[in-house]
Amino acid sequence: MNAARQLYNSFHSKILSIYPDPEAQQLVFWLFEHFLRISRADIIRNIEISEVPESLNLALKELESGKPIQYILGHAPFYGRDFKVSPAVLIPRNETEELVHLIIQENQQPNLRILDIGTGSGCIPISLFLEMQQPETHALDISNEALEIAKANATQLHAKINFHKTDILKEEIPLEELDILVSNPPYVRMLEKTWMRSNVLDHEPDLALFVTDDDPLVFYRTIAQKGLNALKPEGKLYFEINEALGKEMIKLIKTMGYLDVTIHKDLQGKDRMLSATKR
């Protein structure tokens, strides 16, 4: 038998060198909830734990190695739902939830035709399908592994998404007459690697994260250019962006002839989203 609080303290102390408090506390709570089915309240009450499964100890070792908790558990929360994740896809971020919320708030009409480029886990198009009024929703990605994860999430969450395998840098957008084109493409410059935590660098897919320092806007430029053919007149373009490149993004998208080019700040006050309208 193990006392919950003693076990919690043991796990907490082992990851404090890697994760700061209160993040370390939250990570142990998540592990205990997933593997032991006990809550924070159970730990506070110091209930007795009859058996500690080996899977929990293995998960602790993975956490100590820097592996993100979402990959250990195999799922991540996004916009009120749980999404299956693996190292083949980026872990859904809070800023991307804000992008989804912006799109929902600005597009209340039914039956909109939507495409998400670089879909990863599928969290953007699935959330839009489930939150908006009967949209026709499409998603594309270059990665077969990512598309398999996204399809599994769509099935699990009962979302009707049309998936496409496309290399957006080399191929055209396989759709026309879109009302909304959205993307959270790779935007982290290689020079920014030194500011990133090892658990991201060592475990999340480089393909979905990084661009070269000499052309950090390559995906935005390509998608916006091809969007001129794929979007309807007055169709909307939405991007999640690198907070350091807001001014460059405004200039780029305006140069292409889009109207109403707007930068939106996230809850941290950072420039993280851009919206624009096709002429």
Side-chain angles (χ1 to χ4, degrees):
M1 299 286 281
N2 294 271
R5 199 173 297 175
Q6 183 180 359
L7 190 64
Y8 165 82
N9 288 336
S10 171
F11 274 54
H12 180 244
S13 64
K14 287 177 180 176
I15 64 168
L16 264 181
S17 60
I18 306 165
Y19 299 95
D21 259 348
E23 186 177 358
Q25 296 180 38
Q26 186 60 53
L27 291 172
V28 179
F29 288 140
W30 281 350
L31 285 182
F32 280 29
E33 184 177 335
H34 183 84
F35 291 99
L36 299 175
R37 298 291 186 264
I38 67 172
S39 66
R40 185 187 304 232
D42 292 327
I43 297 168
I44 292 169
R45 289 198 299 268
N46 202 26
I47 67 168
E48 289 292 324
I49 298 167
S50 58
E51 183 181 357
V52 178
E54 184 57 26
S55 56
L56 176 57
N57 291 317
L58 290 173
L60 175 63
K61 286 185 171 63
E62 289 185 303
L63 205 56
E64 288 180 280
S65 76
K67 188 173 183 178
I69 185 79
Q70 294 90 341
Y71 290 155
I72 296 171
L73 303 183
H75 62 86
F78 185 86
Y79 215 78
R81 299 177 180 88
D82 261 353
F83 284 78
K84 179 181 179 182
V85 294
S86 82
V89 300
L90 281 185
I91 295 164
R93 300 300 203 274
N94 294 339
E95 304 84 58
T96 311
E97 287 184 315
E98 295 183 51
L99 176 65
V100 163
H101 189 68
L102 174 67
I103 294 170
I104 294 167
Q105 293 302 111
E106 290 192 351
N107 300 275
Q108 301 282 323
Q109 59 271 51
N111 307 121
L112 295 178
R113 189 168 160 89
I114 301 169
L115 171 64
D116 174 42
I117 292 181
T119 198
S121 66
C123 62
I124 291 176
I126 291 170
S127 298
L128 293 177
F129 177 85
L130 294 171
E131 297 290 337
M132 297 175 73
Q133 295 186 57
Q134 299 174 310
E136 177 192 324
T137 312
H138 298 259
L140 65 80
D141 206 291
I142 190 175
S143 164
N144 284 319
E145 293 87 351
L147 286 169
E148 287 305 310
I149 294 288
K151 288 174 183 176
N153 281 323
T155 299
Q156 176 69 29
L157 294 167
H158 308 292
K160 184 181 176 183
I161 312 293
N162 303 286
F163 290 102
H164 310 263
K165 185 178 188 297
T166 306
D167 181 348
I168 195 60
L169 294 182
K170 296 179 181 177
E171 301 174 71
E172 293 304 311
I173 293 173
L175 297 160
E176 295 179 338
E177 296 295 299
L178 292 169
D179 295 289
I180 295 171
L181 178 57
V182 55
S183 184
N184 175 21
Y187 60 66
V188 180
R189 295 170 291 179
M190 299 303 256
L191 64 86
E192 294 168 325
K193 271 192 172 187
T194 55
W195 308 331
M196 298 177 68
R197 283 168 50 164
S198 62
N199 62 324
V200 174
L201 292 174
D202 296 344
H203 297 279
E204 297 201 53
D206 283 4
L207 183 68
L209 279 171
F210 294 109
V211 286
T212 59
D213 294 339
D214 61 340
D215 193 10
L217 303 184
V218 57
F219 282 95
Y220 297 109
R221 185 175 62 252
T222 303
I223 292 168
Q225 188 64 51
K226 293 177 179 180
L228 292 171
N229 293 324
L231 282 164
K232 293 178 181 176
E234 299 186 5
K236 296 285 193 68
L237 179 68
Y238 290 93
F239 285 131
E240 183 173 323
I241 67 170
N242 186 324
E243 64 186 86
L245 299 174
K247 290 180 180 178
E248 291 86 345
M249 283 295 303
I250 290 175
K251 181 179 179 182
L252 173 70
I253 303 303
K254 282 186 174 179
T255 300
M256 291 186 172
Y258 284 89
L259 305 175
D260 307 320
V261 182
T262 306
I263 294 287
H264 305 265
K265 294 185 183 296
D266 66 11
L267 291 175
Q268 310 301 318
K270 298 175 180 178
D271 294 342
R272 292 307 296 266
M273 295 159 279
L274 180 143
S275 63
T277 305
K278 179 185 169 183
R279 190 185 299 274

